[in-house]
Amino acid sequence: TAALHGRDHRSRFASPRQHSELCGLDRGATQELVEEGLQELARHGIAPRVFVPPFNRFDARQLEWLGRRFAVVCGGPESIGLLGNQRTPGWRGETVYLPSYAPFYGSAAQVLAALPQALAHAGAVWLPIVLHWGWEADAGWRDLERLAAAIAPHAVAWEELLAAVDESAGVSAA
């Protein structure tokens, strides 16, 4: 499954504490930016159902429109100041909002440290894990390899999550 990760990943703000490609845009400008990104992917035969905002930031009012366009809209710790601390995953309007928070948004070493407790108490839940390749490269990939082995028996493909979203929304698979 493919996801749209903005159009050009350029921040509209210089401050790292405000980096965002979307914040501050009105509805029309937001739609234009997203549609341009989707058109570029469509030229390559890609039709994403997931949106991952660059820098994990978008305005709360933008979620409604993004939710009409994407089955799943992701977020991260940077989203809390804009949308609040939300359960993950959870329906927000017409979309499933899927934020990832620490310790499952971090390095593979951080996720590994929290994983045993999460698995002991999780049951059947969706637990999004977000890693950044640069952090893992800096660590020599060792923790990532260990994490991949630890979560392999529990991990599911994005297609399975999207099928569950469709089922929950009452969409029949064609």
Side-chain angles (χ1 to χ4, degrees):
T1 292
L4 178 64
H5 188 49
R7 183 185 63 203
D8 56 23
H9 210 286
R10 292 188 182 148
S11 178
R12 301 182 65 246
F13 306 97
S15 169
R17 297 179 62 101
Q18 293 181 309
H19 278 177
S20 176
E21 188 175 315
L22 299 174
C23 286
L25 296 177
D26 64 22
R27 181 182 174 138
T30 302
Q31 288 176 316
E32 183 179 329
L33 185 143
V34 169
E35 290 303 326
E36 286 175 4
L38 290 170
Q39 288 170 9
E40 180 63 32
L41 292 177
R43 283 192 278 277
H44 302 281
I46 301 168
R49 297 185 61 210
V50 178
F51 182 73
V52 179
F55 312 104
N56 295 311
R57 288 191 183 96
F58 56 93
D59 293 333
R61 62 184 167 73
Q62 293 168 323
L63 181 58
E64 178 185 353
W65 184 81
L66 290 168
R68 287 193 207 129
R69 182 61 188 86
F70 298 97
V72 176
V73 176
C74 298
E78 299 85 355
S79 304
I80 295 171
L82 301 163
L83 282 89
N85 193 349
Q86 305 289 321
R87 288 186 178 155
T88 189
W91 281 100
R92 297 285 305 263
E94 299 177 43
T95 191
V96 169
Y97 181 53
L98 186 70
S100 181
Y101 305 125
F104 301 102
Y105 180 104
S107 68
Q110 292 167 319
V111 175
L112 274 166
L115 195 59
Q117 183 177 3
L119 291 175
H121 294 89
V125 299
W126 300 99
L127 181 63
I129 297 173
V130 174
L131 306 169
H132 290 83
W133 292 115
W135 300 345
E136 302 314 318
D138 291 346
W141 308 104
R142 290 175 302 281
D143 294 327
L144 178 61
E145 291 171 352
R146 290 180 35 231
L147 176 62
I151 65 173
H154 311 283
V156 297
W158 273 96
E159 288 77 14
E160 190 172 330
L161 171 67
L162 290 168
V165 168
D166 290 344
E167 184 178 337
S168 177
V171 175
S172 61

